[in-house]
Amino acid sequence: MARKKEISRDKILDVAYKMAVKDGIEGLTARSIAKTGHFSTQPLYLEFNNMNDLREQVLKRISNDLRTKTLQQSYTGDALIDLDLSYIEFAQKHVNLFRAMFVDGKFGSKVISDTLMDLGTEKFKEQYPDTQYDEDRVHDIVIANWISTTGMAALVVNEIATFNQTQIINVLNAQIHDAMLNNRLSETQENPMFAADEDASLKDQLA
């Protein structure tokens, strides 16, 4: 009879996920996860190819949580604005995770980027169902919205500026309407929300 594994893949992911949400992804090492979960490092190497594999699985779980729960809060009844406000609240509650993924340019993941773009597109079409924009135009508007929202979140979590909800809503509405009036917002189809490498970051774009 095969011996039952004492430490399962799901248990390891549960520990790593909670650590990432609390303290950010950068601190996820084999030793730190094993210490927090009160087990040896051996199960990690048995269940995952390497630490990058484990981090990617954690990011997928974070992505799913963002998609189904965290970014689905209701504040105003305007779908895209509510998404933006949910994102800023997420940044305030999980500062280390937000900084690691969106500001410092570390562990930016296409998984997260695609999730945010999909949600942004979905919420834009929900809030503005009568627009006749093609997919490229909507893509540009959503990217512009995310850059603006992430910039405001970065200002808030770094205590550079303080905004009340009304001010945030006014700024976001103005940005969205301005973006909708422009014929072409960007010359690139790449998503600038995440750095192409770990040396660049959204922080550079805000400078």
Side-chain angles (χ1 to χ4, degrees):
M1 182 176 178
R3 181 180 179 183
K4 184 179 179 180
K5 289 187 294 186
E6 294 181 3
I7 307 299
S8 68
R9 180 184 179 89
D10 284 344
K11 178 175 175 59
I12 295 169
L13 278 175
D14 285 344
V15 172
Y17 171 79
K18 291 175 183 177
M19 290 176 64
V21 170
K22 181 176 182 291
D23 298 318
I25 301 173
E26 192 169 12
L28 292 183
T29 65
R31 288 186 177 181
S32 67
I33 295 169
K35 181 178 179 180
T36 301
H38 305 290
F39 47 76
S40 73
T41 58
Q42 185 180 17
L44 279 77
Y45 297 115
L46 291 175
E47 297 293 339
F48 299 92
N49 295 328
N50 49 48
M51 285 304 299
N52 285 335
D53 178 28
L54 191 153
R55 289 193 186 103
E56 191 66 20
Q57 296 305 313
V58 170
L59 283 170
K60 287 181 179 179
R61 185 170 290 194
I62 291 170
S63 171
N64 183 66
D65 185 67
L66 291 173
R67 184 187 296 274
T68 61
K69 181 180 177 182
T70 303
L71 300 185
Q72 296 289 349
Q73 308 305 311
S74 179
Y75 301 92
T76 68
D78 291 331
L80 185 58
I81 295 297
D82 284 350
L83 174 64
D84 295 340
L85 292 174
S86 296
Y87 178 88
I88 292 171
E89 182 181 6
F90 155 77
Q92 292 176 292
K93 286 185 176 180
H94 307 293
V95 173
N96 291 330
L97 180 58
F98 170 77
R99 284 176 174 160
M101 290 197 299
F102 301 103
V103 179
D104 295 335
K106 297 176 180 177
F107 306 110
S109 168
K110 191 174 185 301
V111 173
I112 302 295
S113 177
D114 287 349
T115 294
L116 297 185
M117 286 302 297
D118 288 348
L119 279 171
T121 300
E122 172 190 320
K123 299 299 184 180
F124 174 81
K125 291 179 178 179
E126 182 179 338
Q127 185 167 332
Y128 300 98
D130 297 326
T131 58
Q132 301 297 318
Y133 300 144
D134 62 25
E135 291 303 313
D136 286 344
R137 183 74 183 282
V138 173
H139 179 270
D140 284 345
I141 294 171
V142 171
I143 282 181
N145 174 71
W146 274 128
I147 291 174
S148 178
T149 305
T150 302
M152 293 190 72
L155 291 173
V156 170
V157 300
N158 288 307
E159 299 182 349
I160 297 173
T162 302
F163 307 100
N164 61 41
Q165 188 178 92
T166 299
Q167 290 172 319
I168 292 173
I169 292 171
N170 289 339
V171 169
L172 291 172
N173 272 321
Q175 179 276 316
I176 293 168
H177 293 153
D178 182 62
M180 291 171 68
L181 291 174
N182 284 312
N183 289 327
R184 191 66 180 166
L185 303 174
S186 68
E187 297 299 326
T188 176
Q189 294 301 309
E190 293 184 9
N191 186 345
M193 290 175 57
F194 289 92
D197 56 60
E198 290 188 357
D199 293 326
S201 71
L202 181 63
K203 181 168 56 180
D204 300 326
Q205 298 179 35
L206 299 176

